[in-house]
Amino acid sequence: GKWEIRKGHDVVVKAFDKAFEKSDNVSLVMLTANPLLEQEKVAGWHRLYRNAKLADKISVLKDRLPTQQDVAHVMGQADCGVFISRAEGWNLDLAEMMAMGKHVITTNFSAHTEFVNQQNAHLVLIDELEDAYDGKWFHGFGQWASLGDSQVDQVVDHMRSVHRAKQEGSLGVNQAAIDTMKHFTWDRFGSEVVKAIS
């Protein structure tokens, strides 16, 4: 998802640094271009990742990819998608990773709880809310998930668990995610709209 505090990128890098060491065979790829964000804020995000302990294991794709096929190619190379969102209207990136049978780590909060569960995702439990504020799109009207130490530790545990399974050769395809996402196709959506109109 695009650079935005709501998307929890601050927590992703913190958890990645805590979960692994320089000797671990891991990498983190950030597909986060946000053309709506001021350059100084974009630079701040890049600085956060460049200053990470594991910066040499992090790739930040600075520009939007030209096609959806390019995005799918990047996603297809991944073993796991990490979506530690404070709030979502849908979370299409998460849904796309699941449709590809990828393992996912995500917050058990907000709109994507309509399609994630303990069988198809590694869930990060939320125990507190905070005012939704980022100074750009959200100005404290309403609340979103508070991502504190407990959530970072949960992400760390999930990252290590997925990595361990990968190293042991037991990670496999996330079939439960594929099965879930079969309910969210364009054909099914169109059929439901036609039914509702009729």
Side-chain angles (χ1 to χ4, degrees):
K2 62 188 180 294
W3 289 127
E4 192 181 329
I5 195 69
R6 178 176 61 89
K7 298 285 187 177
H9 298 119
D10 52 325
V11 173
V12 172
V13 71
K14 190 182 297 183
F16 186 68
D17 267 355
K18 190 171 181 180
F20 303 112
E21 299 300 328
K22 292 187 181 216
S23 58
D24 290 319
N25 183 17
V26 293
S27 65
L28 177 65
V29 178
M30 300 300 294
L31 192 57
T32 54
N34 185 350
L36 304 174
L37 200 58
E38 298 84 3
Q39 285 308 305
E40 68 184 54
K41 293 201 182 211
V42 170
W45 281 112
H46 285 279
R47 198 167 33 256
L48 176 67
Y49 276 72
R50 205 172 39 250
N51 292 333
K53 174 184 88 174
L54 298 178
D56 60 334
K57 293 183 175 288
I58 300 173
S59 299
V60 177
L61 304 181
K62 294 183 178 171
D63 299 316
R64 288 177 64 99
L65 295 178
T67 69
Q68 284 300 106
Q69 288 79 11
D70 294 316
V71 174
H73 178 74
V74 171
M75 289 178 158
Q77 301 300 307
D79 294 306
C80 182
V82 183
F83 303 93
I84 310 305
S85 179
R86 290 172 168 88
E88 285 289 346
W90 177 247
N91 207 336
L92 181 60
D93 307 328
L94 169 62
E96 289 171 337
M97 287 292 281
M98 291 175 66
M100 294 177 81
K102 300 300 180 175
H103 292 265
V104 293
I105 301 169
T106 191
T107 45
N108 190 24
F109 182 78
S110 202
H112 54 259
T113 59
E114 292 292 321
F115 58 86
V116 298
N117 57 48
Q118 291 181 344
Q119 287 71 48
N120 63 24
H122 301 272
L123 298 178
V124 175
L125 304 179
I126 301 301
D127 48 22
E128 289 184 33
L129 301 180
E130 64 187 19
D131 290 342
Y133 182 82
D134 67 1
K136 174 98 176 150
W137 291 286
F138 299 92
H139 301 282
F141 301 108
Q143 294 192 308
W144 59 25
S146 178
L147 302 178
D149 292 341
S150 169
Q151 287 68 41
V152 171
D153 289 343
Q154 291 175 66
V155 176
V156 167
D157 289 344
H158 290 317
M159 285 180 166
R160 287 176 177 164
S161 172
V162 170
H163 178 65
R164 189 168 39 255
K166 170 72 175 184
Q167 297 308 302
E168 292 168 354
S170 62
L171 187 60
V173 171
N174 185 351
Q175 189 61 49
I178 293 172
D179 293 342
T180 298
M181 297 320 296
K182 285 178 182 176
H183 298 283
F184 297 99
T185 64
W186 283 113
D187 287 342
R188 182 147 192 234
F189 171 76
S191 299
E192 294 297 320
V193 169
V194 169
K195 246 196 288 188
I197 292 172
S198 301

